[in-house]
Amino acid sequence: MSVRDRWLQKLGRQAIHLPRRPKRALLILNDLLLLSLALWLAFSLRLNTYYAPPSDAFTGVLAAGPVIGVITFYYLGLYKLVTRFIGPGGTVRLLAATALATLLWVLFIQLAGVPGVLPRSTIILYFLFSGFLIWGSRQVVGWMLRLLPDVTPAYFDGVAKNVVIYGAGRTGVMLLDTLRYSHEYKPVGFVDENRSIWGQFVSGLKVSRPSRLPKMIEQLRVEEILLAIPEASRQRQRTVIKRLQVLNVRVKTLPAMADIAAGRIQITDLRAITAEDLLGRDPVPPDPSLLARNVRGKSVMVTGAGGSIGSELARQILKLKPRELIILDVSESALFEIERELVTGARREDTPVQAVLGSVLDDGLMRRTIERWGVQTIYHAAAYKHVPMVERNPAVGLENNTFGTMIVADAARDLGVEHFVLVSTDKAVNPTNIMGASKRLAEHYLQSLALTPEESNGTIFTMVRFGNVLDSSGSVVRLFREQIEKGGPVTVTHREIIRYFMSIPEAAELVIQAGAMAKGGDVFVLDMGDPVKIDDLARSMIRLMGRTVKDERNPKGEIAITYTGLREGEKLYEELLISGDTAVTAHPRVHRSREPSLTLPEVRRTIESLRVAIVSRDISAVQAVLLRAVEGYQPDVRAATPGHEPTVMRAALSGRTLH
């Protein structure tokens, strides 16, 4: 580093860390001088000569102008503004204070009774000159401080990371102002897609075209790229992220502008790229009438409220102002966490939140809960969802997912609940696992009730089917993130496996709207967007977390990907429709599926046979019932790779009983 840079660094540090009182004194002195200059310029320009006051008395009155200005600035709090971060709001305050100071000075002259007339043009010129000089002095000081090289302690210590800001708009400049005085980041350049500003300097940093990023990373030793385009559409953000993921540097982003707290951008607003950034899509604005129809002013219960979908349903329902919100879960810790979160919001919304600890298999508890709080709408999200776990514990999975749904549905029917919405899954379509079959049986029961008016007792039963949600408990996204942070390897079950993904908030929002459109027995299917190849997702996450993929093409990479084979009951791909016969609804991302169903007597016979098989722990009998009742159930075909048949199917073929 040159002697000049070292001297400037020292000067910058001293200026920034100067105590508050000396800083304020310097500003006051600066303003007195500039206001005096503005006054002299105003008279000189008006009289077209180098102005000199005609008398000592008039000189004193004129000198009062700068003094009144400084006093006005002080009482209006201008000297509490940070000069480097004055911003648009500070500029408005400064100009307003200058206008007030000018008016007070004119009033003082009138009260002083000084002979002679003060030209109105002089007053206007004084306001213009003083406002420009005071504002300009702040801008110059801020600009000089920003240009001083490496003025933050982190820069001296060599701790700060060199970063490039992607986006040289208003958000990017706000981020730059914050980062320049952080201890973690050192901005070294802007990148922007706007051709008109390529090669120009914004707040002292050069703006480059995106194609120069690889050279910038190499030449400037860039460690991270910070995305500052929160106002861009999801589609554009995904395009940018895909372009950046090949650069093997860590990428962070800002949340949507609506999510950034009022005021300046904070360092804590920056976050790592998530799977939602990679896979998310532009939201469709919800229909307020659909959201509120079955919720506002009603007593609403959410089962499985501690889970990923159940908890988000509870959050969104609370915002819709129900009369009462009842949350139920079998997990004490999960129920405690969501209750603690909701209670704060409930105080704001003036909505009572009742937490009920217990299982949906407890018929008495379900009936007491519904009756006590007069439940009108139920969102049934309680279910065991992890395919391999349920595959290894089929009896428990069937009891909770199928029998549990029956118990809650029967209680709802008998006690006059208006709407019952089952949160279902794409794994219920042509299932290759117990979990999917258990959910399809639950759907069958609700369909059969809806098709038998005398049995439904006026309750509208419906189900909403969708695929995987992003970053839920046990999701592949969380697993990949943990594996990458630990140094790998990242485990993918199969090179060709694909899945559909949706964000948890979008899924919950669509479930509420779909339920509001139900007429009885409806099977709603959510539009999941484009399928995602899990292998590609793993590679993208590795790169965006600043690591390299270790494979045949890059044997020196950091994170390897290991292919473990399909798990028990797992498909290469998932489906959402059984019949393929769908109809549009009032929402573009919700479709109504027309699907085959069993009669209520058929379902009850199936359930009774299943119950007997489970009680006797006869897995062969369980399999036989599922194969007869659940259309498309093929546990031994697509779920397994050669030599890796699911445990439950091997047991059925060998005639063993379930222990």
Side-chain angles (χ1 to χ4, degrees):
M1 184 182 294
S2 67
V3 175
R4 170 184 166 277
D5 282 348
R6 290 183 181 279
W7 182 82
L8 288 174
Q9 282 182 344
K10 184 177 180 181
L11 177 63
R13 293 173 73 183
Q14 290 176 344
I16 291 173
H17 297 291
L18 199 65
R20 184 178 301 173
R21 287 186 178 179
K23 285 182 180 179
R24 194 169 293 175
L26 287 173
L27 279 177
I28 290 173
L29 179 60
N30 170 80
D31 292 350
L32 282 171
L33 293 174
L34 291 181
L35 289 172
S36 300
L37 176 61
L39 192 60
W40 179 80
L41 286 173
F43 274 94
S44 296
L45 186 62
R46 171 65 179 79
L47 301 174
N48 199 25
T49 183
Y50 290 100
Y51 178 71
S55 66
D56 292 340
F58 201 74
T59 300
V61 172
L62 293 179
V67 175
I68 291 173
V70 167
I71 294 173
T72 304
F73 293 169
Y74 181 85
Y75 278 101
L76 291 181
L78 292 191
Y79 297 119
K80 294 181 180 179
L81 297 177
V82 180
T83 304
R84 290 170 287 153
F85 303 133
I86 192 166
T91 299
V92 172
R93 286 178 62 184
L94 191 150
L95 294 177
T98 304
L100 179 60
T102 303
L103 291 175
L104 292 174
W105 173 64
V106 172
L107 181 61
F108 174 78
I109 291 177
Q110 297 298 322
L111 294 175
V114 177
V117 178
L118 186 65
R120 281 177 293 180
S121 57
T122 304
I123 299 171
I124 296 173
L125 288 171
Y126 173 59
F127 164 69
L128 294 175
F129 282 135
S130 59
F132 175 76
L133 290 172
I134 297 298
W135 173 82
S137 67
R138 266 61 169 180
Q139 297 301 311
V140 168
V141 171
W143 175 73
M144 290 177 64
L145 287 174
R146 287 194 294 268
L147 284 184
L148 289 174
D150 301 352
V151 296
T152 44
Y155 292 176
F156 297 120
D157 301 337
V159 174
K161 303 172 185 175
N162 286 2
V163 297
V164 166
I165 300 174
Y166 197 110
R170 181 173 63 91
T171 306
V173 173
M174 290 171 63
L175 179 60
L176 172 64
D177 287 341
T178 301
L179 297 183
R180 272 184 157 148
Y181 303 98
S182 76
H183 295 269
E184 187 176 352
Y185 300 100
K186 177 183 176 182
V188 295
F190 275 116
V191 166
D192 201 280
E193 297 173 8
N194 184 356
R195 295 172 176 267
S196 64
I197 59 174
W198 288 350
Q200 298 184 30
F201 286 81
V202 172
S203 293
L205 283 188
K206 186 177 180 180
V207 182
S208 301
R209 65 185 69 194
S211 60
R212 288 206 72 247
L213 263 173
K215 287 186 178 180
M216 293 175 69
I217 291 170
E218 182 180 354
Q219 295 171 357
L220 302 175
R221 298 182 180 179
V222 174
E223 297 181 58
E224 290 187 8
I225 297 173
L226 309 180
L227 285 183
I229 50 173
E231 69 287 346
S233 67
R234 283 283 183 87
Q235 180 61 44
R236 184 190 163 203
Q237 290 187 40
R238 282 201 308 274
T239 301
V240 172
I241 290 170
K242 288 179 181 178
R243 188 186 305 148
L244 297 179
Q245 70 182 33
V246 300
L247 299 176
N248 290 324
V249 294
R250 187 178 290 268
V251 181
K252 289 185 177 178
T253 187
L254 289 168
M257 288 302 294
D259 297 329
I260 297 176
R264 298 190 56 79
I265 290 174
Q266 305 294 319
I267 296 293
T268 52
D269 291 325
L270 287 166
R271 60 171 176 78
I273 294 292
T274 64
E276 188 171 342
D277 297 308
L278 287 169
L279 310 176
R281 52 187 174 171
D282 293 318
V284 172
D287 184 334
S289 64
L290 289 178
L291 284 175
R293 185 174 298 170
N294 293 342
V295 174
R296 182 157 296 158
K298 298 192 175 186
S299 180
V300 181
M301 181 167 78
V302 179
T303 68
S308 302
I309 292 295
S311 60
E312 183 60 26
L313 279 169
R315 293 183 193 101
Q316 295 195 21
I317 288 168
L318 186 62
K319 294 176 183 176
L320 296 170
K321 300 184 183 302
R323 187 183 81 240
E324 197 133 25
L325 175 59
I326 299 93
I327 52 175
L328 182 143
D329 203 282
V330 72
S331 168
E332 180 191 29
S333 58
L335 187 64
F336 172 77
E337 290 298 330
I338 187 60
E339 181 195 27
R340 185 172 62 172
E341 177 187 338
L342 292 175
V343 164
T344 302
R347 293 194 190 103
R348 290 195 301 269
E349 304 294 344
D350 195 26
T351 300
V353 174
Q354 312 295 344
V356 179
L357 180 64
S359 169
V360 293
L361 292 170
D362 187 337
D363 181 65
L365 175 65
M366 293 300 101
R367 292 176 181 271
R368 288 193 302 272
T369 301
I370 293 171
E371 193 169 25
R372 179 178 179 183
W373 283 292
V375 175
Q376 295 163 280
T377 302
I378 295 176
Y379 293 94
H380 182 52
Y384 291 142
K385 64 177 184 178
H386 298 294
V387 170
M389 184 69 71
V390 175
E391 202 70 9
R392 291 191 293 270
N393 300 274
V396 177
L398 285 162
E399 286 174 346
N400 189 75
N401 295 357
T402 303
F403 299 163
T405 300
M406 288 180 55
I407 288 170
V408 182
D410 287 346
R413 174 200 60 195
D414 295 344
L415 296 171
V417 172
E418 297 171 5
H419 291 85
F420 183 101
V421 181
L422 169 67
V423 176
S424 192
T425 171
D426 57 357
K427 294 173 180 61
V429 179
N430 298 322
T432 58
N433 50 68
I434 295 291
M435 187 279 217
S438 69
K439 295 295 282 187
R440 181 57 186 144
L441 272 180
E443 290 182 356
H444 269 310
Y445 186 70
L446 298 186
Q447 286 177 295
S448 65
L449 282 178
L451 292 173
T452 314
E454 63 274 15
E455 290 286 346
S456 64
N457 195 30
T459 301
I460 295 177
F461 293 99
T462 188
M463 54 230 76
V464 184
R465 191 186 289 158
F466 55 92
N468 299 277
V469 289
L470 292 168
D471 220 14
S472 62
S473 61
S475 73
V476 69
V477 172
R478 287 193 186 183
L479 175 64
F480 286 172
R481 188 184 301 120
E482 292 170 2
Q483 290 175 334
I484 294 167
E485 289 172 349
K486 292 178 181 178
V490 171
T491 55
V492 176
T493 57
H494 196 284
R495 290 180 185 271
E496 302 302 322
I497 193 168
I498 63 171
R499 289 292 181 265
Y500 291 91
F501 287 96
M502 176 182 286
S503 73
I504 294 175
E506 183 184 13
E509 189 177 79
L510 291 177
V511 165
I512 296 172
Q513 293 178 90
M517 294 185 283
K519 298 176 182 177
D522 316 76
V523 177
F524 290 106
V525 178
L526 303 187
D527 177 1
M528 299 294 296
D530 298 325
V532 177
K533 197 171 181 180
I534 300 301
D535 188 43
D536 292 342
L537 174 62
R539 293 173 184 273
S540 295
M541 289 185 66
I542 291 171
R543 295 185 183 113
L544 289 169
M545 291 179 71
R547 314 296 284 272
T548 55
V549 179
K550 182 178 181 180
D551 55 16
E552 301 82 9
R553 291 176 294 180
N554 184 22
K556 295 183 178 180
E558 300 170 275
I559 308 290
I561 296 178
T562 303
Y563 301 97
T564 58
L566 291 176
R567 299 174 299 174
E568 294 175 329
E570 190 172 44
K571 291 183 182 181
L572 276 179
Y573 60 92
E574 300 289 359
E575 306 157 89
L576 285 167
L577 301 174
I578 293 175
S579 67
D581 184 8
T582 62
V584 297
T585 68
H587 196 289
R589 288 188 180 165
V590 180
H591 304 277
R592 182 181 276 105
S593 177
R594 300 185 183 93
E595 298 189 349
S597 60
L598 302 175
T599 64
L600 187 57
E602 288 175 328
V603 175
R604 283 177 171 163
R605 284 196 299 271
T606 298
I607 296 299
E608 186 56 35
S609 299
L610 192 60
R611 196 189 305 276
V612 170
I614 289 175
V615 169
S616 63
R617 309 193 73 78
D618 185 348
I619 187 60
S620 299
V622 168
Q623 285 289 346
V625 172
L626 295 179
L627 286 167
R628 286 196 309 268
V630 178
E631 61 272 57
Y633 181 50
Q634 298 178 9
D636 60 336
V637 179
R638 287 172 292 176
T641 53
H644 187 73
E645 298 83 4
T647 302
V648 70
M649 194 57 190
R650 290 200 302 269
L653 293 173
S654 63
R656 290 191 287 112
T657 57
L658 181 66
H659 299 290

